[in-house]
Amino acid sequence: MEAWRCVRRGYGRCCVVGRGRYPMLPHQQKSLGRDRTTPWEKPQRCCWGIHISGCVRWPGCHSRAPYPCFSSWHFSLHRTPTCLFESRSQSRYWSWRPDHLSQTSLLHLSSYSMSSEGGEPSSKRRKHQGMIERHWEYVYTQRKEDAEPLQDKGDPGCEDGESRFDFSVMSYNILAQDLLEDNAHLYRHCRRPVLHWAFRFPNIFQEIKHLDADVLCLQEVQEDHYGAEIRPSLESLGYHCEYKMRTGRKPDGCAICFKHSKFSLLAVSPVEFYRRDVPLLDRDNVGLVLLLRPRVPSAASRAICVANTHLLYNPRRGDIKLTQLAMLLAEIASVARQTDGSCCPIVMCGDFNSVPGSPLYTFIRDGKLNYAGLAIGKVSGQEQSARGQRILSIPIWPPSLGISQNCVYELQQVPRAEKTDTDPTQTELDKAEVLGMPEKSPSSLRHHFSLSSAYSHYVPGTGVPEVTTCHSRSALTVDYIFYSADKDEAAGRPGSEVALVGGLKLLARLSLLTEQDLWTVNGLPNENNSSDHLPLLAKFRLEL
């Protein structure tokens, strides 16, 4: 990266970033209350401080990443400065705030092009304010007699009837505050005030309230915020909340919340991916699986299984990601299993830290994956370089895990916690033994759910990729809503040989955006969108 320079014409030499020994301190400061300001009548003679530090460390970046320096063309009157977000360990050393500088001395960072490793390119660093617009995309049904699209009149309301049950599901990574502060290098494009939890939570809550989903699957839910603010606020909207915190004293976890008016809770089953006796599973990610019964006039309504997870991020550990996914699928198979051996409809949400078309994504969608010769860094599609990557072992996880390569439990499971509104037959279902079936190949993973993604992942008619997350380092799709496709949609697809007793029909989805769209409002988070992820929202119909 080319160093930013500041010519100190009145002091004898050119000060090059990375050469000085002293921290940057304001030169000839004048006090203004608790803040300090510096007059810039002759900015061409001033450098911000006597020397530029050569050892400033930006979290997650190069050890000698330079601070910006200023020359006369960097200064502009009546221009709001861009604030760099510093970590908690750095914040105590600063006693001034740029937004309190006098109007005659406002400064801003230059639009210098940063490398992809150190920040977003200059073409993305736009300062536009405004709301991002999303609209409903209506999905055509598969049967000819129902081939008309839903009425395009704003929000497609979900209307229940004697033979159908309509409901909506949201998946939303709300960005835990502790994780935001620990990864400050991802949010350099943001103004400091928009990163405060006191600013972010009202935005997040208002977004959830406005979209009004019947089921919420939330990731990166910080435990102390969940107890103090998130859960009480959602309960005030009529939601029942279940939460699973990550293991290993991590600050966040996953939550599933549903409206009392739409569902009753049959069973709840948390999943911990950390296993002390399995060296491979040394990460603290979790999942949560709920069995819900629609509240409809019909006495014999079918249950719906809702799962939520946040898989490991590390792009080079595809072996761990696949194993975590297999554990979640095994729990879903156990919870969703009905007395006749079939499975009830499934909705699986979360941040899977994998991109569309990757082997992990393809495995979820197609129900099978031959991983022989597959490099662990290629599983999620996030890692581009194959250097130093080892091949997935066969089998990926040891037999002691108790999960077959068909992603079902090989041993009888401990009965799950029963709820007060559980019907008598559910106890038998909870204690049911789920057995694995013989694998066709030792290097082949399989599952027997006919799952589809609620999103197409590309802007219709353009082929431009949609994204679900956008920050200083990347913009891509990692969040999904997968669902059990109905018989018509699943016909002819891989895995459809194991027929579900009625799946779900996708009615509509809230549109996603492109990377270019998001950078027109300065990426994520911003003044109106307070997470680095977009909420996904889809509406489904269950035929009763």
Side-chain angles (χ1 to χ4, degrees):
M1 180 186 295
E2 180 181 350
W4 284 337
R5 299 171 181 266
C6 178
V7 179
R8 303 177 65 229
R9 297 177 180 175
Y11 295 90
R13 67 181 180 87
C14 177
C15 176
V16 181
V17 171
R19 300 290 184 182
R21 295 175 177 268
Y22 303 96
M24 295 185 296
L25 296 174
H27 185 60
Q28 298 178 349
Q29 291 181 339
K30 290 184 179 180
S31 178
L32 182 63
R34 295 181 59 186
D35 305 308
R36 295 185 181 275
T37 181
T38 301
W40 298 97
E41 291 83 4
K42 296 181 180 180
Q44 70 274 16
R45 294 193 175 189
C46 296
C47 177
W48 192 22
I50 299 175
H51 292 285
I52 304 298
S53 173
C55 297
V56 175
R57 292 182 179 268
W58 290 36
C61 211
H62 296 298
S63 61
R64 300 183 68 84
Y67 269 97
C69 298
F70 308 98
S71 62
S72 59
W73 64 279
H74 289 134
F75 296 90
S76 173
L77 296 180
H78 311 296
R79 182 70 178 258
T80 303
T82 301
C83 303
L84 299 179
F85 179 80
E86 68 275 6
S87 65
R88 289 173 293 177
S89 62
Q90 296 169 318
S91 60
R92 63 179 183 272
Y93 296 112
W94 299 89
S95 59
W96 61 277
R97 293 173 60 187
D99 53 327
H100 284 182
L101 294 175
S102 66
Q103 288 188 354
T104 60
S105 61
L106 291 180
L107 54 92
H108 68 278
L109 302 184
S110 77
S111 58
Y112 190 86
S113 180
M114 305 174 74
S115 71
S116 60
E117 190 68 21
E120 74 283 358
S122 59
S123 61
K124 299 178 182 178
R125 299 184 64 194
R126 304 173 184 174
K127 305 305 175 187
H128 299 173
Q129 303 290 330
M131 299 282 292
I132 54 178
E133 296 184 0
R134 302 175 65 183
H135 60 274
W136 283 101
E137 296 176 345
Y138 305 101
V139 181
Y140 287 83
T141 58
Q142 298 295 318
R143 293 177 297 178
K144 292 182 179 180
E145 61 269 24
D146 294 329
E148 295 297 326
L150 298 176
Q151 294 296 321
D152 192 357
K153 296 181 179 179
D155 185 344
C158 289
E159 299 180 359
D160 302 332
E162 294 182 359
S163 61
R164 69 190 185 201
F165 176 77
D166 293 354
F167 65 101
S168 57
V169 178
M170 175 192 288
S171 181
Y172 195 8
N173 183 326
I174 64 173
L175 180 57
Q177 188 67 20
D178 281 0
L179 299 183
L180 181 154
E181 296 180 11
D182 290 342
N183 296 276
H185 61 284
L186 299 179
Y187 311 105
R188 295 179 189 160
H189 61 284
C190 303
R191 295 192 307 111
R192 175 67 183 270
V194 306
L195 297 176
H196 294 163
W197 179 249
F199 179 89
R200 294 179 56 233
F201 176 65
N203 269 1
I204 293 171
F205 178 69
Q206 184 60 34
E207 195 167 25
I208 292 174
K209 182 179 179 180
H210 172 71
L211 294 177
D212 195 31
D214 299 316
V215 180
L216 304 175
C217 292
L218 306 178
Q219 304 90 41
E220 289 194 23
V221 180
Q222 192 162 308
E223 183 192 27
D224 54 345
H225 293 158
Y226 172 76
E229 298 170 275
I230 298 174
R231 179 174 180 173
S233 298
L234 293 178
E235 288 179 342
S236 71
L237 299 180
Y239 288 97
H240 172 88
C241 303
E242 294 289 340
Y243 178 72
K244 174 57 182 174
M245 185 179 178
R246 282 201 291 163
T247 55
R249 298 184 178 180
K250 297 297 188 295
D252 65 299
C254 295
I256 300 180
C257 313
F258 61 89
K259 288 187 176 179
H260 286 290
S261 60
K262 298 286 289 189
F263 297 96
S264 60
L265 180 62
L266 299 181
V268 54
S269 182
V271 186
E272 295 182 356
F273 297 142
Y274 174 83
R275 296 293 178 88
R276 182 177 301 177
D277 58 333
V278 180
L280 174 67
L281 296 173
D282 59 350
R283 308 304 167 93
D284 296 299
N285 305 83
V286 296
L288 187 61
V289 183
L290 267 58
L291 192 65
L292 304 177
R293 171 154 292 170
R295 294 187 184 273
V296 293
S298 174
S301 63
R302 292 184 288 123
I304 299 173
C305 181
V306 179
N308 183 25
T309 192
H310 189 177
L311 299 185
L312 176 70
Y313 164 74
N314 191 338
R316 292 181 174 269
R317 293 310 304 267
D319 51 346
I320 298 178
K321 294 186 185 189
L322 278 174
T323 306
Q324 290 179 345
L325 176 61
M327 296 172 70
L328 180 67
L329 292 172
E331 189 63 28
I332 292 173
S334 179
V335 173
R337 183 180 172 88
Q338 300 182 118
T339 54
D340 62 355
S342 63
C343 289
C344 66
I346 296 162
V347 178
M348 184 172 70
C349 302
D351 182 344
F352 290 82
N353 276 311
S354 300
V355 302
S358 66
L360 187 143
Y361 173 90
T362 302
F363 172 53
I364 295 175
R365 185 194 61 189
D366 294 347
K368 60 183 179 180
L369 173 66
N370 189 338
Y371 60 87
L374 180 62
I376 61 173
K378 298 297 184 181
V379 169
S380 65
Q382 297 166 292
E383 183 65 39
Q384 300 301 320
S385 173
R387 183 181 60 179
Q389 294 186 10
R390 60 182 176 84
I391 304 301
L392 286 169
S393 60
I394 303 176
I396 300 175
W397 56 83
S400 60
L401 184 60
I403 295 176
S404 73
Q405 292 206 61
N406 288 305
C407 299
V408 293
Y409 290 121
E410 295 180 310
L411 303 175
Q412 186 171 356
Q413 300 301 299
V414 177
R416 292 177 295 280
E418 299 174 16
K419 296 295 178 180
T420 56
D421 52 358
T422 302
D423 64 288
T425 61
Q426 183 59 35
T427 303
E428 299 177 3
L429 177 61
D430 289 342
K431 296 180 180 180
E433 183 177 359
V434 182
L435 299 178
M437 299 190 303
E439 294 86 357
K440 296 181 179 179
S441 168
S443 64
S444 179
L445 293 180
R446 298 179 65 86
H447 70 76
H448 298 291
F449 308 124
S450 181
L451 298 177
S452 294
S453 172
Y455 286 84
S456 64
H457 314 307
Y458 295 92
V459 177
T462 67
V464 178
E466 299 171 331
V467 300
T468 65
T469 182
C470 178
H471 49 65
S472 293
R473 284 198 170 183
S474 64
L476 43 90
T477 290
V478 294
D479 306 278
Y480 303 94
I481 298 177
F482 294 104
Y483 68 99
S484 299
D486 63 13
K487 293 180 181 179
D488 293 333
E489 184 179 345
R493 289 186 46 208
S496 60
E497 63 274 8
V498 182
L500 298 175
V501 180
L504 299 173
K505 186 184 300 295
L506 176 64
L507 300 180
R509 59 190 174 224
L510 189 62
S511 65
L512 288 172
L513 301 169
T514 67
E515 179 180 3
Q516 183 178 5
D517 293 334
L518 288 174
W519 280 115
T520 62
V521 291
N522 203 36
L524 297 173
N526 56 52
E527 284 74 7
N528 298 299
N529 308 91
S530 288
S531 174
D532 58 349
H533 292 248
L534 292 172
L536 280 62
L537 180 60
K539 300 203 171 188
F540 301 99
R541 173 167 295 168
L542 174 66
E543 301 292 344
L544 301 176

